């Protein structure tokens, strides 16, 4: 009987795959985890090509809206600090319309339709998904913001010498508002609520960014300080001075950068939370 058992064991070892059944010594190693920056670049390119056709008409709407607001305010504001506030606020409003409002709607729709399940199956870090989508939406704001700032400068006869500040204002304001928009879309329990929150955020950027700060009541001024786009508006507004205080401009941009990092971190956490539900 002992010889029969020995023969069966020997036969099992001689069968192809029998040693795999005995112990998984030759298991193939798992594929390495995708790195952040290559994944971020891939998601960014995919989102950019996907949104190019659908979002360009909305970018024209955002630009025309901001230019129309400046034309209306031209009959009320003559110049000075108020004109600088109107032009700066209208320029950053383009960023708020696309990066905050549309991104909140996109992630709200993605969560409601189950599209997050697709991203959850991809071997990419959650931060790459959030940062890639936020970067793609923020990129669409560049032409509209530049056109609005130049048009406002001509309309209110403001100097355009320091408009190069937009090189810092657009990405930093875009990061802060994109993170906020993504977080609103991912945390909203319903798609309709995500759309509503995005609209309210854009309305807040309109009212608190375009209107001159010195004409607002104190409680409204405190709310303005909490809005991420405020510091981008302030930095751009100060650049219209004949001799800008660059230390204050740099401080405004630094605050905007910190808020952008925090808002994108919250959006990444919200993505993880929504993806596992």
């Amino acid at each position: 009987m002992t010889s029969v058992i020995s023969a069966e064991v020997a036969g099992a070892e001689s069968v192809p795959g029998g040693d795999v059944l005995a112990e998984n010594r030759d298991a193939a190693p798992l594929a390495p985890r995708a790195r952040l920056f290559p994944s971020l670049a891939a998601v960014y390119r995919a989102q950019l090509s996907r949104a190019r056709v659908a979002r360009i008409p909305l970018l024209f709407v955002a630009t025309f809206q901001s230019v129309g607001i400046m034309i209306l305010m031209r009959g009320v504001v003559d110049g000075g600090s108020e004109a600088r506030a109107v032009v700066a606020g209208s320029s950053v409003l383009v960023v708020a319309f696309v990066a905050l409002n549309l991104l909140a709607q996109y992630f709200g729709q993605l969560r409601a339709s189950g599209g997050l399940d697709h991203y959850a199956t991809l071997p990419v870090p959650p931060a790459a998904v959030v940062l890639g989508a936020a970067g793609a939406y923020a990129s669409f704001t560049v032409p509209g913001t530049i056109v609005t700032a130049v048009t406002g400068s001509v309309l209110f006869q403001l100097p355009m010498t320091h408009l190069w500040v937009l090189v810092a204002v657009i990405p930093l304001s875009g990061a802060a508002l994109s993170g906020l928009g993504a977080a609103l879309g991912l945390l909203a329990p319903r798609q309709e609520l995500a759309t509503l929150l995005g609209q309210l955020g854009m309305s807040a950027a309109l009212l608190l960014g375009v209107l001159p700060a010195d004409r607002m009541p104190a409680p409204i001024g405190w709310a303005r300080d909490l809005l991420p786009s405020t510091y981008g508006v302030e930095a751009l507004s100060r650049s219209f001075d004949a001799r800008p205080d660059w230390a204050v401009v740099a401080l405004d941009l630094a605050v905007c950068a910190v808020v952008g990092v925090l808002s994108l971190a919250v959006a990444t956490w919200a993505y993880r939370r929504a993806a596992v539900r």
Side-chain angles (χ1 to χ4, degrees):
M1 182 174 180
T2 303
S3 61
V4 174
I5 295 175
S6 301
E8 290 179 352
V9 173
E13 292 179 352
S14 64
V15 174
D19 56 340
V20 176
L21 297 177
E23 57 178 321
N24 195 13
R25 290 194 303 265
D26 300 328
L30 295 176
R33 182 179 178 84
R35 292 177 295 175
L36 175 62
F37 290 106
S39 302
L40 172 59
V43 174
Y44 175 80
R45 289 194 299 267
Q47 288 290 335
L48 200 63
S49 61
R50 174 191 175 278
R52 183 177 300 161
V53 177
R55 302 308 177 192
I56 284 181
L58 294 175
L59 176 60
F60 281 112
V61 172
T63 305
F64 291 150
Q65 171 185 264
S66 295
V67 172
I69 290 172
M70 290 190 301
I71 293 174
L72 290 175
M73 295 297 292
R74 184 65 179 86
V76 180
V77 176
D78 293 329
S81 61
E82 296 178 349
R84 295 193 291 268
V86 169
V87 175
S90 299
S91 301
V92 178
L93 180 62
V94 179
V95 183
F97 183 88
V98 178
L100 194 160
N101 183 26
L102 296 185
L103 197 59
Q105 296 182 31
Y106 170 71
F107 273 109
Q109 179 185 6
L110 200 66
R111 181 182 179 186
S113 62
L116 288 181
D117 297 337
H118 166 70
Y119 284 105
T121 60
L122 298 178
V124 296
V129 178
V130 175
L131 293 176
Y137 274 71
S139 297
F140 281 105
T141 68
V142 175
T145 306
I146 294 175
V147 169
T148 302
V150 172
T151 303
S153 299
V154 173
L155 191 63
F156 289 91
Q157 299 179 352
L158 298 175
M160 291 185 283
T161 307
H162 305 300
L163 277 185
W164 55 265
V165 174
L166 288 172
V167 175
V169 170
I170 294 176
L172 294 179
S173 298
L177 293 172
S178 295
L180 179 60
L184 292 176
L186 290 167
L187 293 175
R190 297 178 59 185
Q191 179 181 353
E192 297 79 6
L193 186 57
T195 301
L196 176 62
L197 292 175
Q199 292 283 351
L200 290 176
M202 189 196 67
S203 300
L206 167 61
L207 296 175
L208 302 179
V210 175
L211 297 179
D214 55 358
R215 293 191 177 185
M216 296 180 182
I220 303 299
W222 299 336
R224 183 176 183 271
D225 293 337
L226 296 176
L227 191 67
S229 60
T230 297
Y231 303 96
V233 172
E234 289 293 334
L236 181 57
S237 177
R238 297 179 196 278
S239 68
F240 289 118
D241 295 337
R243 294 182 178 179
D245 189 343
W246 294 114
V248 180
V249 172
L251 179 61
D252 288 329
L253 292 175
V255 173
C256 198
V258 171
V259 174
V261 172
L262 293 177
S263 63
L264 289 171
V266 172
T268 302
W269 169 81
Y271 170 80
R272 289 195 185 98
R273 179 176 177 270
V276 298
R277 286 193 169 186

